Amino acid sequence: MSTSEDGNPRRLLAGLGISDAAESLYLSLLDGAFHAADSDDSTLTELIDAELVAISDGVVNPRSAARALRDVEQRHREDARRAEAAALELDLLEQGGQRAVETTRSPQRAIAMFNQLFATARVEFRGMDRAPYLTSLGKQASMQPESLRRGIRHRALYEMTSLHDPGYFQVVAASLRQGEEARFVERLPFRLLLADDTTALVLRQGHDDVVTTRITEPELVETFGALFEHLWDQAVPIPRSSALDEALPRNRELVWMLASGMTDEAIARQLGVSLRTVARRVAELNHLLGAQSRFQLGMQAVRLGWLPHSENPPNDTHSG
């Protein structure tokens, strides 16, 4: 039996309700010790009841406890998540009750609404992301991995102009790597967060504060959900990191030429390809990076590190 940091024996099977004696027997079996089956052995009976050993030809053989412990861990995680959701719901009730439509200017209550919304999504979390923010982008992003591990789908809409901020773009890229689905739109009317089809949170900038409205009225939530889906269908998908990595090698020089102001004719001569090929590759890049103009394409390329900071073009050349 291993020891804890304070020098006392560390119980490995306590989470399964196994006694000291039964754990010692189980660990000795794992170490190769022989133990004959004995119906009067209460310690052995304890391990049999816990399905940690099996009897074969009168010999006791250990079974995996790791899987049983993982099941216990998962149950504890689910219990903790339910407790967290209940605590957040109680926070809202203690702060003034829960109404079908509630508006607040209190940062503390708004953050409680946000945390409760994020923690209680069961199927899908949808967001129209733009200022204002209740918490830092980093804190919001830090809540996402656990939600994704629970199998919650995450979809987000981002404004193209907001991605001009390199720090913001890094947070978006991290979300994509974690499994978020995201798309670009030219402009969003307001910030919206949706948990399943049950709760909506709308945030807008007041004169000198953030106005947050929490909505649980089914028809209103359905309306906001329809608005999100309408914008989602019209939006440009943000590519996965793997797609960007694959596109970079053969397009770095083309992006530099576009950013430097070269005409399509000059690019075609430099690369040794036709004008039609240049137009096709530019269109593919615009779609990949969610750009609607050469300026936007250049801005995206800078954020992704595709363009050198110096005035010198990249050394690699491609044709075709």
Side-chain angles (χ1 to χ4, degrees):
M1 184 177 297
S2 60
T3 58
S4 61
E5 293 181 356
D6 58 10
N8 295 320
R10 181 162 61 92
R11 295 291 312 283
L12 298 177
L13 301 181
L16 298 178
I18 301 301
S19 67
D20 288 348
E23 180 171 329
S24 295
L25 173 56
Y26 178 79
L27 294 176
S28 69
L29 292 170
L30 286 181
D31 201 34
F34 172 81
H35 192 91
D38 183 353
S39 59
D40 296 327
D41 188 338
S42 60
T43 303
L44 177 60
T45 300
E46 184 179 347
L47 293 178
I48 293 173
D49 291 343
E51 299 184 352
L52 292 178
V53 298
I55 309 298
S56 177
D57 297 328
V59 177
V60 180
N61 299 297
R63 303 176 68 178
S64 174
R67 177 176 298 176
L69 284 169
R70 291 191 185 97
D71 290 342
V72 171
E73 179 190 19
Q74 181 61 32
R75 287 196 295 273
H76 283 316
R77 285 180 180 272
E78 292 173 355
D79 289 343
R81 180 175 59 79
R82 283 192 289 268
E84 179 190 17
L88 291 167
E89 191 71 22
L90 287 171
D91 281 343
L92 290 176
L93 293 172
E94 291 168 2
Q95 292 175 29
Q98 186 181 85
R99 296 177 287 278
V101 178
E102 178 188 357
T103 297
T104 183
R105 294 178 181 269
S106 164
Q108 292 77 17
R109 184 157 178 80
I111 289 173
M113 291 176 174
F114 172 85
N115 290 338
Q116 192 268 345
L117 180 87
F118 215 98
T120 55
R122 295 290 180 268
V123 178
E124 183 175 38
F125 186 89
R126 293 173 288 177
M128 289 164 36
D129 200 85
R130 55 162 294 173
Y133 296 99
L134 294 170
T135 61
S136 69
L137 289 171
K139 180 178 180 181
Q140 178 178 332
S142 69
M143 301 173 69
Q144 194 172 58
E146 176 60 29
S147 178
L148 288 164
R149 279 194 294 270
R150 299 196 333 251
I152 309 300
R153 184 186 185 189
H154 281 246
R155 288 191 289 157
L157 290 167
Y158 297 99
E159 287 187 332
M160 291 181 178
T161 54
S162 65
L163 297 178
H164 293 176
D165 179 356
Y168 183 93
F169 187 82
Q170 290 176 3
V171 173
V172 174
S175 296
L176 290 173
R177 287 192 294 270
Q178 292 164 4
E180 178 185 85
E181 301 170 47
R183 295 186 179 185
F184 287 116
V185 295
E186 188 66 33
R187 186 169 180 80
L188 293 169
F190 44 77
R191 187 166 186 226
L192 171 68
L193 304 170
L194 287 162
D196 301 325
D197 295 317
T198 60
T199 309
L201 209 64
V202 177
L203 297 92
R204 58 186 178 84
Q205 187 65 52
H207 292 297
D208 54 2
D209 55 10
V210 177
V211 180
T212 304
T213 301
R214 183 179 187 270
I215 303 156
T216 56
E217 213 300 310
E219 291 185 358
L220 289 176
V221 175
E222 183 180 356
T223 299
F224 283 117
L227 171 63
F228 177 92
E229 296 301 336
H230 174 73
L231 293 174
W232 180 264
D233 290 340
Q234 295 181 333
V236 179
I238 298 178
R240 299 285 186 182
S241 297
S242 58
L244 296 175
D245 293 341
E246 293 171 2
L248 173 57
R250 70 185 188 90
N251 286 306
R252 187 193 301 271
E253 187 177 13
L254 172 60
V255 171
W256 182 87
M257 292 177 182
L258 291 169
S260 65
M262 292 178 63
T263 64
D264 287 359
E265 290 79 4
I267 293 173
R269 287 195 299 272
Q270 179 69 25
L271 296 179
V273 299
S274 67
L275 277 172
R276 179 176 296 180
T277 298
V278 172
R280 175 180 55 79
R281 289 177 58 181
V282 170
E284 290 173 352
L285 280 175
N286 280 334
H287 178 74
L288 181 66
L289 300 183
Q292 296 183 348
S293 68
R294 292 196 176 193
F295 174 76
Q296 290 182 354
L297 179 61
M299 292 295 294
Q300 286 287 68
V302 169
R303 291 187 213 103
L304 293 169
W306 283 20
L307 288 176
H309 292 289
S310 67
E311 295 298 323
N312 296 320
N315 293 327
D316 55 321
T317 58
H318 304 276
S319 61

